[in-house]
Amino acid sequence: MTSFLLKAVCAATLMAATTVSAQVHKCTGADGKITFTEAACNTTSKSIQAVNIPLSTYQAPELRAQTMAESKDRAAADRLKTVQLMLSNGKVAEARLYARTPEERAMVAHVESANAVQRKEARQAKSDADLKESGERLRKALKR
């Protein structure tokens, strides 16, 4: 019986804690200055509005810091995926402008160097083809 009563009291306490709210008063002073307080407005100012704010919307500083860190981690992961997508679509210049972290910049630099090697090889292949074609024309001209 005692444990049942203890459980009932704990459950009631938890339920009451989740429904607690704070009241905020918007007070206008004699000079027209607006202030917000948890206490009722004093006699020299006029209470315009009292708003109930559920305490469940309040975040402890530790929880807020953790939430912000998680948000920053998600944003960083999204940025990295965006850079990867830009690079896979051949938008290297856009990726270079978008990259912020050393990891993102390293990815862009790697793709840029690979592209430079490909361009160099393509130029060399074209140069070889042009040289071969010039040689063929010269041989034909000498045979005449």
Side-chain angles (χ1 to χ4, degrees), residues 66-129:
Q66 179 185 356
T67 304
M68 288 181 69
E70 290 170 355
S71 177
K72 286 180 182 179
D73 290 344
R74 278 194 306 276
D78 289 345
R79 287 189 65 77
L80 185 62
K81 287 179 186 175
T82 302
V83 170
Q84 290 171 337
L85 184 62
M86 287 177 173
L87 293 173
S88 67
N89 288 328
K91 299 183 182 285
V92 179
E94 289 89 345
R96 185 181 333 107
L97 294 172
Y98 191 74
R100 287 187 187 164
T101 65
E103 182 182 7
E104 293 167 356
R105 289 184 179 131
M107 285 175 29
V108 172
H110 177 74
V111 170
E112 286 178 326
S113 67
N115 287 349
V117 168
Q118 287 177 343
R119 284 192 303 272
K120 182 178 178 182
E121 289 172 353
R123 281 193 307 269
Q124 185 63 43
K126 184 174 180 346
S127 176
D128 291 347

Side-chain angles (χ1 to χ4, degrees), residues 2-140:
T2 307
S3 69
F4 174 76
L5 185 59
L6 183 61
K7 288 180 184 176
V9 169
C10 288
T13 304
L14 287 173
M15 288 174 52
T18 58
T19 58
V20 172
S21 63
Q23 195 171 45
V24 177
H25 297 271
K26 180 180 177 184
C27 304
T28 304
D31 58 353
K33 190 174 184 180
I34 295 175
T35 57
F36 295 91
T37 64
E38 291 179 4
C41 299
N42 62 24
T43 56
T44 60
S45 63
K46 175 179 154 191
S47 179
I48 296 178
Q49 185 178 16
V51 180
N52 283 327
I53 301 173
L55 290 179
S56 61
T57 60
Y58 171 77
Q59 278 189 331
E62 309 83 37
L63 181 60
R64 189 172 37 238
Q66 179 185 356
T67 304
M68 288 181 69
E70 290 170 355
S71 177
K72 286 180 182 179
D73 290 344
R74 278 194 306 276
D78 289 345
R79 287 189 65 77
L80 185 62
K81 287 179 186 175
T82 302
V83 170
Q84 290 171 337
L85 184 62
M86 287 177 173
L87 293 173
S88 67
N89 288 328
K91 299 183 182 285
V92 179
E94 289 89 345
R96 185 181 333 107
L97 294 172
Y98 191 74
R100 287 187 187 164
T101 65
E103 182 182 7
E104 293 167 356
R105 289 184 179 131
M107 285 175 29
V108 172
H110 177 74
V111 170
E112 286 178 326
S113 67
N115 287 349
V117 168
Q118 287 177 343
R119 284 192 303 272
K120 182 178 178 182
E121 289 172 353
R123 281 193 307 269
Q124 185 63 43
K126 184 174 180 346
S127 176
D128 291 347
D130 289 346
L131 187 59
K132 185 177 178 182
E133 184 181 331
S134 296
E136 293 293 325
R137 278 189 292 200
L138 185 58
R139 276 190 217 107
K140 284 182 185 178

